[in-house]
Amino acid sequence: MSNKVVTVTGISENSNQFSVSTNGSSLSINNTISVGSGKVPSPTDYLLAGFAGSINAVGLIVAEELGIELQSVQVDIIGELETKKVEGIPTRSRAGFRKIEVIVKPTSDAPLVLLKQWIDEVKERCPLRDNLINSTPVLLTLLKEYKQHDAA
């Protein structure tokens, strides 16, 4: 069994940013759901960026296995996000993406039939795609930190 644990820790630093550290890296996230300030990406920007990065990473592995030489891979992702629920507006819609469209543009001299095999394998093996199209158990726990007061 080959499981790896990914740990992310984030803390709210001010009203506009959330700072996250993971695997020796750090990044800042805008405190909005879908439209960032332009300087710092929003959480949904990072989700789609991570999805694109996952497609690229798996794509490089699969290309090597299939003997495909890739000069580059461009991944365009367009997500249509429902924002009513997040804004507190009553709706029967889910509070997430209504749809996500992914367009993968490899630059390669490989024949189309081989590239089709490549993208089918990438779709099958991409972990973020799997998490987006299938239900994954998510446990959310609230932990209140109490401050001890000195007895007077």
Side-chain angles (χ1 to χ4, degrees):
M1 190 160 150
S2 176
N3 291 333
K4 294 189 179 192
V5 176
V6 177
T7 303
V8 174
T9 302
I11 187 163
S12 211
E13 290 189 340
N14 61 45
S15 63
N16 294 326
Q17 266 182 227
F18 187 69
S19 293
V20 177
S21 61
T22 181
N23 296 327
S25 298
S26 62
L27 53 97
S28 295
I29 300 174
N30 191 296
N31 278 344
T32 63
I33 292 301
S34 63
V35 180
S37 66
K39 295 179 184 173
V40 179
S42 71
T44 52
D45 294 335
Y46 274 112
L47 179 79
L48 296 183
F51 187 16
S54 184
I55 290 168
N56 178 67
V58 173
L60 295 175
I61 293 167
V62 173
E64 186 173 328
E65 291 172 359
L66 295 176
I68 297 173
E69 185 179 327
L70 295 173
Q71 286 79 41
S72 69
V73 177
Q74 179 176 327
V75 181
D76 297 330
I77 300 183
I78 301 102
E80 184 180 310
L81 186 66
E82 170 61 70
T83 60
K84 288 179 184 174
K85 189 165 276 193
V86 170
E87 296 166 357
I89 300 169
T91 181
R92 298 202 302 188
S93 297
R94 294 175 49 226
F97 285 105
R98 300 184 90 173
K99 70 176 181 177
I100 298 172
E101 181 181 358
V102 181
I103 301 164
V104 181
K105 304 174 188 174
T107 302
S108 176
D109 292 332
L112 187 56
V113 68
L114 187 55
L115 290 174
K116 172 75 170 98
Q117 180 184 354
W118 169 77
I119 198 64
D120 287 345
E121 188 70 20
V122 170
K123 285 181 354 187
E124 181 64 29
R125 291 169 52 180
C126 179
L128 270 68
R129 179 181 180 274
D130 183 84
N131 281 126
L132 287 168
I133 65 171
N134 294 302
S135 179
T136 300
V138 177
L139 307 171
L140 195 146
T141 304
L142 172 66
L143 179 63
K144 169 84 168 105
E145 291 192 26
Y146 292 95
K147 295 187 186 212
Q148 190 171 9
H149 298 284
D150 292 332

